Structures are given as C-alpha cells and as structure tokens.
C-alpha cells in the first residue's frame, strides 16, 4: 500500500538516494509533486535540421544506419549511429561501447538526449542518453507515444524519462487519500479534483489538461500557505496585549517640539498608522518600508516615545554592533536632554537610554541590565544580546527590529517571554517588498511605506566602471576619490572580502555571503577587480593612487571597540577613505561621505548595492556611486549592475531582483540548499491566485480556526508549518 508519506526508498530502491540528493525528496508525495518542466509535443520535437550547437537537446528520431569499427589511431572501438527525423540527420557517437549495436538497430525509433557538438562539420551527440520507444524489452511506456511528452527537471544520473517512468508507476498505484482542498472552495474556484490534476500534469493528452492541472496545483500551493498564515494570525489575536498611547504633555510632545526639522507627510501618515496600532489590544505587527534615508528611524523613535509615555519600555534590535552603537549615538543626539533622566542636564519628563551588546564590559553591562530591569531605561538599544535570558525588562511594550534579517520565530518568542503581554512589533526595512511577497513571505504583517525622501536631499549618480572594456576608467575612479577628499568630503571603498586568502566572502558579521554569480568575473584578475579584499586594497591604495590620504579599514572581524573607534573617527572626519566590507551596508550615517566605490560590484546582489549606495548623498552634497566590475558586457551580472545604475527607485529594483532570482531563493530555500515548497506558484506573476487563496483561507479559518472539519488540510498546514523548508513563513 503506497501513499504520499511512503518513503521513496520503498518505491525506487537505490535511485531514491539520487532523488534525495538532487531535489531533497524523501517521500512518494514529494515525487508525485515533481512536475514536468515542459512538454515536448510529438509533432514539434526539435527538428534535427535546427539543432543548435552546444545546446542540451532531446530529440525523437529513427535510426537510419549503425556503423561499428575499431578506431584508427588508438586502441578501442567506435560506434556511430545515424538517426533521422526526415528533416535532417544527426550522428550519435559511442566510444568502446560496441555492445550497444545490439540495442540500437536500424528502423527503431527513440528519444535521444545530450549536448550537441560538432566534429568536422557534422553535428553529433556523444554518449547520449536514450530510450527506444518500440523496444518492448526495455519496458517503454506506450503512453509516451501519444499526446505530450513530459520533460522533467532531471539530473545526469536520473534522466527525464527514468523519472517519468517512476512517476507513471506511482500514479497508477498510489492511494491519494482525501483531498486537502475543501470541496466548496474547489467548486467555487472551478478547480480540478486532485487526482485528475495529477494525472493531467503527468500524462496529458492535450494542452488544455496541462493548463487546468496547473491552475489547481498552483492554487494548492498558495492556499495551504495562506491557511497556515491565517491560523497564525488567529492565534496571535487570541492573546491580547496592553494598548500603549502617548499622553498629552509627555515625552513625545516634548520631542516633537524640539525636532530640528518638520516631518514629511509620509512620516506623519505612517506615524498615525503606528499610533493607531499601538492603541489597540491586538499586538501590532507592522512592516515599515522606506528607501534608505527616508527617515524611518524618526518614525520608530516617536513610536518608542509614545510607549514610554504610556509607562512601558521599547527595545530597538539592530543586526550588528556597529549599527546598534550608531543608533544609540544618533538617538541620544535626537533626544538630547530628553534621554538623560537623572543626569544634570536631564529634562523633567526625560527617560534613559540603555545599550546592550555582546562585547560590552561587565560593569557597564551590569548597570545597563539594572536600568532595564527596574524600568529606568525607557529605550533599550542592542544587538541579539538583547535576547539573552539575563536581560529582563520591567515592562516591555514595543520591539522595533531594524533591517529584518535573521529575526525569526525563536527570536520573537524570546522577546515575547520578556514581556507580560505580547509586545507590539515594528519591523523596518529599506529593501522594498512587492505586494505579493508581503502577502506571502510577510503574510501576517501589515505594511506602511515611506515613499519620499526628506527635502533637500540631492540624488545619487551611479556609474558602472567596466575594467575590461575601459581599463583607463579605473584611474579616473581614484582621481575622483582624490577630488572629493580635497574638497573636504569622504569616500567609502567597499570590497566583497576581508582578506585575499579567504575562500569565503564575508558580510557584516563575518559570515559567508553568496558566492560570485558570474564565474567569468571571479576568474578575472585585472586591476582592482577579482582581488578586492579589504586587507589588500587598503595598502594598495595607500601606496598607490591614494597616497597621502588618511585611509582606514572596517570589517566584521575587528574587535567591537576597534570597529566603533573607526566609525567614530570616520564620522568625525578624521578618516578620508574608509575601506570596508558590507559592514557599512545598513544604517551607517555619515552625511559628509559623498562617494561610494564598490570593487567587484558583481559580487553583490541588487538590494545590497542599493543599500550600499544609500550610504552616500545623505547630506546636502550630491552622492556618487561607482560600481567597478570585471564582468563582461552581456553577462547577467552586468545586467544587474546596469539595472542598479539606471534607477534609484527601490521598488523597481526589488522587482528586478525578484525577476533575476528564482523563487526558491526569495523564500530562503537557497540558504538551506533545498527546494522550497513552491513549484508552480510565482510570486510576481500569480498575484491574483495568492489574493484569492488568501481570501478563501481567511474565511475558512475564521469559521473553523482549528480546522476540525478539514483534517486533511490541517495535516497539510501542520506539515508546512513544521518543515524547515518553510522557514520563510517566519521571516518576520
Ligand atoms: P532611514 O533609517 O530610513 O535610512 P534615517 O531615519 O536614518 O533614515 O534618516 C536619515 C537622515 O535624515 C537622518 O540624519 C535623519 O535625522 C534625517 N531626517 C529624518 N527625517 C527628516 C525630515 N523630515 N527632514 C529632514 N531630515 C530628516
Ligand atoms: Mg536606518
């Protein structure tokens, strides 16, 4: 008895391991949902006359001639098989496999797959995979001869037709059990029953069947995900929290009165949304997105002050120490006397700031923990060290998460445990998120958006510097840097690595980031490209084009106090050129820095570059961003860089980013190296499907939160929620 949970091993024996390795499949259900990548139509299989060299092809043809002979200049034998489809001829070549002449006989038809090469002007496939269609002994599936031929995502060890055969066998034997999609939903959306959908997707007779099957199976993916998210919303709403409203004559009012600028309309509007949320018993779950420099921090600070006014505390969680320290400094500056309760210059209504990081000294830490524990510190800023058990709040009312990376369900529950009622949560991000992604990945977050930059900001000009096509431009890059410095400005030089002997690239915390997208680029060893490591570049600049300037380095492996020291000196204008890793990517705010030079820019993703670029042009001087790359003119990497250079619109870039990456990457599956659950659903294309599924899921869960009358659906949602491949559901 085979069902969806039966281990693949029972069905396939040793091939199961190959499938597990290639696709992460463990059960028969996994294999059943391995859908064809495309379908070959019998009538329109690639005509042999049109084969393009170097392409991996599957052709159907008839064997015309078989010729086996010893090789001329070497030992061994050569088997040449000529096949034809009426339009052209193709040679199949096998070395030392003369025995295949017994299988491959003139007059037989088959499917042949391999990479097209050319030898003395004749196109050929060397050692192709093949399946003979009319060879009974080989067990060819007669169904392969009619309708559409499914072509599966395959590997060399398991070619498409072996997968096809296994799936066909499975389809005939498996007991699918009850359909997880409730009948009323299925009928109302005009979707096929599951069994028919699976048959149509794996063995269609015509295209309309494929379309109908995709419609059903795509909906399933959206629906189960939305059911799981709806369940989480219901659970969250069951646990009321304390409303937190600012009081008249309190800190917030005093802060607004001393603010040196007027809030933009967007800041006003988003603040109003946030205050409305904070006044409710349902914990706020809000995502605040806005361009780098759009002024999110002020919005967050006002929310924190409202919470302090109501008698509670607010925590600001930053991804790195550098950022936590910088936030502490800039919030201290913005608050002035309002943040210095108990000090000589402290205002009457004042509160106190506490900074908690992993590297602080014992005495300072003890004092900070005390301030937080007794409630004297209304605003607590820190890294993940805030989540440790020893950090106890007096009354935690709001958590602000700056740049959402790595704030998952565990972190959230750690913070939850530190408060008597669930804290309100505000997540800030400078990477804009398309609406469909917000509905799925961020399914339980409301979103607010800041669309304008505070006035007086000059735009940032971005130029791609292709060192291969324009080697002379590199000199110009360093000249530009000198010019900026001599007019009193500062420059960042960003490198993907810390030191040249690193195999891995390094990000803000010294953890590996994605390797080169473009092998070509990484292979290049031309000037200032393919070599960019902080420890190498800084001395190369100091001895070379930037001799005489004050140059220093910043990266994740420096001790925390050294990092802080470098940042402070850079902010104070004591460093002209800062050579750094992406440690400066988020939040670092030095208005006098006007130029950002990114070396090996092709090593970075679109949103990273956009973030980096946001570090310059924060003051009244225009910003300049130079993306130095060795990637070739028509590569995907160059397309990415040109995209970044062509627009400052973060939303357009987010879209480009999503289009360039596979969905699985978006959903975090690439980190674990395993495939995501989404096989057919595409977040950008299937906005309507996701919206429909969300509406249906919400209605169903509202009526039956425990899914008592839908056991099969409950099992599917449970499985999704429990699977670590679905970590993206917890990205918030
Ligand atoms: P974000 O966190 O969105 O990148 P910040 O909050 O750090 O942006 O703001 C960037 C800079 O703009 C800060 O120096 C901040 O003090 C300043 N700023 C914020 N809001 C305004 C405003 N309404 N008018 C002028 N300057 C502002
Ligand atoms: Mg910020």
């Amino acid at each position: 008895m085979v069902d969806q949970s039966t281990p693949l091993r029972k069905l396939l024996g040793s091939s199961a391991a190959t499938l597990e390795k290639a696709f992460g499949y463990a059960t028969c259900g996994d294999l059943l949902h391995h859908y064809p990548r495309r379908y070959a139509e019998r009538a329109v299989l690639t005509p042999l006359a049109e084969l393009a060299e170097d392409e991996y092809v599957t052709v159907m043809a008839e064997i015309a001639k078989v010729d086996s002979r010893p090789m001329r200049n070497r030992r061994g034998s050569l088997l040449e098989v000529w096949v034809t489809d009426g339009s052209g001829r193709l040679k199949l070549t096998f070395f030392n496999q003369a025995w295949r002449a017994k299988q491959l006989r003139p007059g037989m038809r088959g499917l042949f797959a391999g990479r097209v090469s050319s030898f003395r002007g004749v196109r050929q496939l060397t050692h192709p995979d093949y399946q003979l269609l009319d060879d009974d002994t080989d067990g060819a599936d007669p169904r392969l001869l009619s309708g559409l031929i499914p072509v599966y995502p395959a590997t060399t060890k398991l070619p498409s037709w072996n997968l096809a055969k296994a799936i066909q066998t499975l389809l005939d034997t498996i007991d699918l059990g009850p359909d997880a999609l409730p009948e009323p939903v299925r009928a109302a959306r005009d979707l096929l029953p599951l069994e028919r959908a699976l048959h149509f997707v794996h063995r269609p007779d015509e295209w309309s069947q494929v379309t109908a099957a995709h419609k059903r199976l795509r909906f399933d993916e959206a629906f189960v995900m939305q059911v799981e998210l709806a369940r989480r919303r219901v659970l969250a709403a069951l646990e009321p929290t304390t409303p937190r409203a600012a009081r008249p004559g309190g800190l917030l009012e005093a802060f607004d009165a001393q603010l040196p600028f007027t809030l933009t309309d967007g800041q006003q509007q988003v603040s109003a949304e946030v205050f409305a949320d904070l006044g409710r018993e349902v914990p706020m779950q809000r995502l605040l997105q806005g361009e780098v420099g759009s002024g999110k921090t002020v919005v967050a600070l006002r929310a924190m002050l409202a919470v302090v006014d109501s008698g509670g505390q607010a925590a600001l969680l930053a991804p790195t120490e550098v950022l936590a320290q910088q936030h502490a400094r800039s919030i201290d500056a913005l608050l002035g006397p309002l943040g210095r309760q108990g000090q000589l210059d402290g205002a009457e209504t004042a509160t106190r700031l506490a900074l908690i990081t992993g590297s602080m000294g014992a005495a300072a830490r003890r004092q900070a923990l005390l301030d937080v524990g007794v409630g004297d510190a209304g605003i607590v800023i820190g890294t993940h060290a805030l989540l440790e058990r020893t950090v106890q709040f007096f009354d935690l009312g709001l958590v602000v998460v700056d740049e959402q990376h790595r704030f998952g369900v565990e972190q959230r529950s750690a913070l939850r445990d530190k408060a008597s009622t669930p804290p309100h949560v505000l997540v800030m991000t400078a990477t804009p998120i398309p609406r469909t992604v917000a509905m799925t990945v961020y399914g339980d977050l409301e979103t607010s958006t800041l669309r304008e930059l505070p006035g007086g900001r000059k735009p940032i000009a971005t130029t791609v510097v292709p060192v291969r096509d324009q080697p002379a431009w590199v000199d110009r890059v360093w000249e530009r840097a000198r010019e900026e410095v001599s007019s009193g400005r500062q420059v960042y030089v960003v490198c993907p690595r810390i030191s040249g002997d690193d195999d891995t690239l390094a990000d803000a915390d010294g953890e590996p980031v994605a390797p080169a997208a473009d092998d070509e680029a990484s292979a290049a060893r031309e000037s200032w490209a393919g070599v960019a490591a902080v420890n190498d570049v800084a001395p190369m600049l100091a001895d070379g084009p930037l001799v005489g300037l004050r140059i220093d380095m910043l990266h994740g492996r420096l001790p925390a106090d050294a990092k802080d020291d470098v940042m402070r000196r850079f902010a104070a204008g004591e460093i002209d050129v800062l050579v750094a890793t992406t440690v400066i990517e988020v939040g670092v705010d030095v208005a006098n820095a006007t130029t950002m030079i990114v070396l090996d820019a092709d090593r970075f993703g679109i949103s990273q570059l956009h973030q980096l670029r946001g570090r310059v042009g924060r003051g009244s001087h225009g910003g300049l961003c130079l993306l130095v790359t060795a990637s070739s003119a028509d590569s995907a990497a160059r397309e990415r860089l040109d995209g970044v250079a062509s627009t400052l619109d973060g939303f357009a870039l987010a879209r480009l980013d999503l289009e360039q990456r596979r969905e699985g990457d978006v959903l975090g599956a690439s980190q674990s190296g395993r495939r995501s659950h989404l096989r057919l659903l595409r977040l950008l294309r299937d906005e309507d499907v996701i919206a429909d599924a969300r509406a249906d899921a919400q209605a169903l869960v509202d009526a039956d939160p425990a899914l008592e009358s839908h056991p099969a659906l409950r099992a599917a949602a449970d499985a999704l929620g429990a699977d670590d491949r679905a970590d993206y559901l917890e990205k918030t």
Side-chain angles (χ1 to χ4, degrees):
M1 187 49 219
V2 174
D3 64 24
Q4 300 221 40
S5 65
T6 306
L8 266 180
R9 179 168 18 90
K10 287 211 173 136
L11 184 81
L12 295 178
S14 60
S15 303
T18 313
L19 273 175
E20 163 115 51
K21 198 156 164 251
F23 301 109
Y25 296 161
T27 64
C28 289
D30 289 339
L31 183 60
L32 206 56
H33 294 280
H34 185 69
Y35 308 133
R37 180 159 40 88
R38 60 187 178 86
Y39 299 86
E41 247 169 316
R42 215 132 280 280
V44 296
L45 273 166
T46 323
L48 292 187
E50 289 169 21
L51 293 180
E53 213 174 299
D54 222 32
E55 231 164 64
Y56 190 91
V57 295
T58 302
V59 300
M60 184 160 64
E62 188 172 314
I63 298 174
K65 197 175 111 187
V66 179
D67 179 21
S68 180
R69 56 183 161 77
M71 276 191 278
R72 272 183 220 128
N73 305 324
R74 289 190 273 156
R75 274 202 287 173
S77 70
L78 185 64
L79 176 65
E80 290 178 337
V81 179
W82 289 91
V83 299
T84 175
D85 66 349
S87 81
R89 302 203 314 158
L90 175 71
K91 189 168 74 170
L92 315 177
T93 310
F94 300 90
F95 297 102
N96 293 331
Q97 297 189 350
W99 53 271
R100 288 193 192 274
K102 292 204 189 74
Q103 288 183 344
L104 300 164
R105 291 190 305 269
M108 288 180 141
R109 291 194 310 143
L111 292 161
F112 304 92
R115 192 169 300 283
V116 182
S117 60
S118 174
F119 184 66
R120 295 200 175 123
V122 178
R123 270 162 315 171
Q124 63 175 12
L125 303 179
T126 305
H127 288 196
D129 285 314
Y130 58 87
Q131 185 182 23
L132 297 171
L133 294 174
D134 25 18
D135 179 354
D136 292 339
T137 55
D138 197 35
D141 189 329
R143 264 177 306 239
L144 278 174
L145 291 170
S146 67
L148 302 165
I149 307 163
V151 181
Y152 290 91
T155 69
T156 23
K157 274 194 180 159
L158 266 178
S160 174
W161 46 76
N162 285 6
L163 277 166
K165 217 185 282 179
I167 292 169
Q168 298 297 337
T169 312
L170 185 57
L171 264 183
D172 291 334
T173 49
I174 197 165
D175 174 11
L176 288 171
D179 192 341
L181 187 65
E183 181 57 26
V185 176
R186 190 187 71 70
R189 295 282 174 203
D190 192 23
L191 299 168
L192 292 176
L194 180 62
E195 190 176 353
R196 275 170 75 78
L198 287 170
H199 274 87
F200 282 174
V201 82
H202 289 300
R203 57 172 77 136
D205 292 320
E206 45 186 83
W207 285 107
S208 62
Q209 295 178 343
V210 175
T211 311
H214 278 179
K215 182 178 168 194
R216 157 70 207 247
L217 298 168
R218 184 178 296 127
F219 188 86
D220 281 2
E221 292 175 8
F223 186 69
V224 175
M225 179 197 286
Q226 292 298 336
V227 164
E228 176 60 10
L229 290 168
R231 285 203 305 185
R232 291 179 191 192
R233 282 195 293 270
V234 167
L235 280 180
L238 283 179
E239 220 184 339
T241 190
T242 318
R244 312 275 179 174
R247 63 185 161 78
L251 258 178
L252 179 60
E253 270 190 27
F255 174 77
D256 284 349
Q258 69 168 44
L259 203 59
F261 45 74
T262 25
L263 297 174
T264 63
D265 290 348
Q267 285 173 319
Q268 301 267 21
Q269 192 197 324
V270 171
S271 283
E273 288 165 358
V274 170
F275 291 144
D277 284 355
L278 289 174
R280 294 198 190 100
E281 285 199 339
V282 180
M284 172 168 73
Q285 303 281 329
R286 190 168 284 278
L287 179 70
L288 168 54
Q289 46 183 2
E291 293 282 317
V292 170
S294 59
K296 297 182 292 295
T297 312
V298 179
V299 172
L301 182 55
R302 294 182 78 231
M304 295 195 272
L305 293 174
V307 170
V308 176
D309 271 343
S310 78
Q313 290 168 292
L316 171 58
L317 195 57
T320 65
E321 296 225 347
V322 169
L323 265 182
Q325 258 139 5
Q326 177 166 319
H327 271 307
R329 268 198 305 277
S330 63
I331 288 178
D332 180 59
L334 277 171
L335 285 177
L338 294 176
R340 309 205 184 111
Q341 186 243 338
Q343 292 178 38
L344 277 182
D345 64 343
E348 217 170 297
T349 44
T351 185
R352 208 181 288 169
L353 297 184
L355 174 67
I356 296 183
T357 65
S359 68
M360 66 199 304
R365 183 184 170 86
R366 217 167 16 244
Q367 182 60 48
L369 288 179
L370 189 67
D371 278 359
V372 175
V374 300
D376 282 350
I379 294 180
V380 186
I381 300 163
T383 56
H384 277 44
L386 272 186
L387 304 175
E388 282 162 21
R389 193 168 285 285
T390 49
V391 182
Q392 291 297 331
F393 288 82
F394 182 71
D395 181 15
L396 180 60
L398 167 67
V399 177
V400 178
V401 183
D402 186 20
E403 305 299 338
Q404 84 286 7
H405 354 192
R406 305 176 209 134
F407 186 66
V409 78
E410 273 169 48
Q411 284 82 3
R412 193 190 287 194
S413 71
L415 276 169
R416 168 72 194 80
D417 291 345
K418 295 181 187 299
S420 49
T421 58
H424 298 279
V425 175
L426 180 66
V427 180
M428 302 195 286
T429 177
T431 311
I433 293 150
R435 201 173 81 86
T436 38
V437 180
M439 278 196 300
T440 48
V441 180
Y442 297 93
D444 53 356
L445 285 188
E446 305 291 328
T447 56
S448 297
T449 305
L450 290 174
R451 290 186 177 276
E452 56 190 324
L453 295 185
R457 224 36 78 73
K458 295 262 171 54
I460 305 161
T462 308
T463 305
V464 178
V465 181
V467 299
R468 279 202 197 161
D469 322 344
Q470 305 284 352
W473 287 19
V474 179
D475 300 336
R476 184 69 194 117
V477 166
W478 303 123
E479 272 169 37
R480 235 0 255 276
R482 273 190 167 284
E483 287 163 19
E484 288 296 317
V485 171
S486 54
S487 54
R489 316 270 166 261
Q490 290 159 281
V491 176
Y492 295 106
V493 177
V494 174
C495 308
R497 297 163 187 265
I498 295 175
S499 65
D501 49 14
D502 278 356
D503 282 340
T504 54
L505 306 174
D507 78 352
D509 292 329
E511 289 171 15
V513 296
D518 186 346
D519 289 346
E520 236 186 306
S522 68
R525 294 273 169 219
E526 285 163 62
S527 56
W528 307 102
V531 294
V534 173
N535 288 339
D536 300 337
V537 167
M540 278 159 82
L541 289 174
D543 286 344
L546 300 187
V547 62
L549 302 190
R550 295 169 300 173
I551 299 175
D552 215 325
M553 302 187 270
L554 183 68
H555 57 73
R557 278 193 218 138
L558 292 176
D561 50 350
K563 273 189 269 188
D564 194 38
D565 181 55
V566 170
M567 266 327 290
R568 198 171 27 234
R569 286 188 294 120
F570 189 67
E574 293 163 19
I575 296 171
D576 299 319
V577 178
L578 186 60
V579 183
T581 57
T582 53
V583 72
I584 61 155
E585 178 185 335
V586 273
V588 169
D589 189 6
V590 176
N592 192 47
T594 50
T595 304
M596 162 84 41
I597 297 164
V598 185
L599 297 177
D600 287 340
D602 44 278
R603 296 298 186 90
F604 299 98
I606 288 174
S607 61
Q608 247 181 335
L609 291 170
H610 183 55
Q611 287 264 1
L612 282 169
R613 171 169 64 180
R615 299 302 114 215
V616 292
R618 294 173 78 82
S620 49
H621 322 286
L624 175 67
C625 176
L626 300 172
L627 306 174
V628 180
T629 177
S631 60
S632 53
D634 48 4
S635 62
R638 181 69 73 78
E639 193 183 323
R640 209 164 58 228
L641 298 181
D642 288 341
V644 173
S646 71
T647 179
L648 291 170
D649 179 348
F651 286 85
L653 288 174
R655 215 181 158 85
L656 178 65
D657 194 18
L658 210 52
E659 276 160 10
Q660 277 217 346
R661 291 191 286 167
R662 295 219 326 277
E663 306 289 314
D665 302 336
V666 176
L667 298 178
S670 64
Q671 275 133 35
S672 57
R674 297 165 69 194
R675 287 164 67 91
S676 81
H677 289 264
L678 301 190
R679 313 252 165 104
L680 295 170
L681 195 69
R682 294 289 174 269
L683 297 181
L684 284 175
R685 185 192 59 197
D686 298 322
E687 192 166 332
D688 296 349
V689 180
I690 294 168
D692 286 351
R694 184 179 170 93
D696 290 350
Q698 188 65 55
L700 191 89
V701 171
D702 281 345
D704 179 5
L707 300 176
E708 267 164 43
S709 40
H710 304 285
L713 180 59
R714 189 177 61 220
D718 285 349
L720 179 66
D723 192 323
D724 63 1
R725 278 176 293 180
D727 270 352
Y728 53 84
L729 293 176
E730 305 292 2
K731 241 194 176 164
T732 58

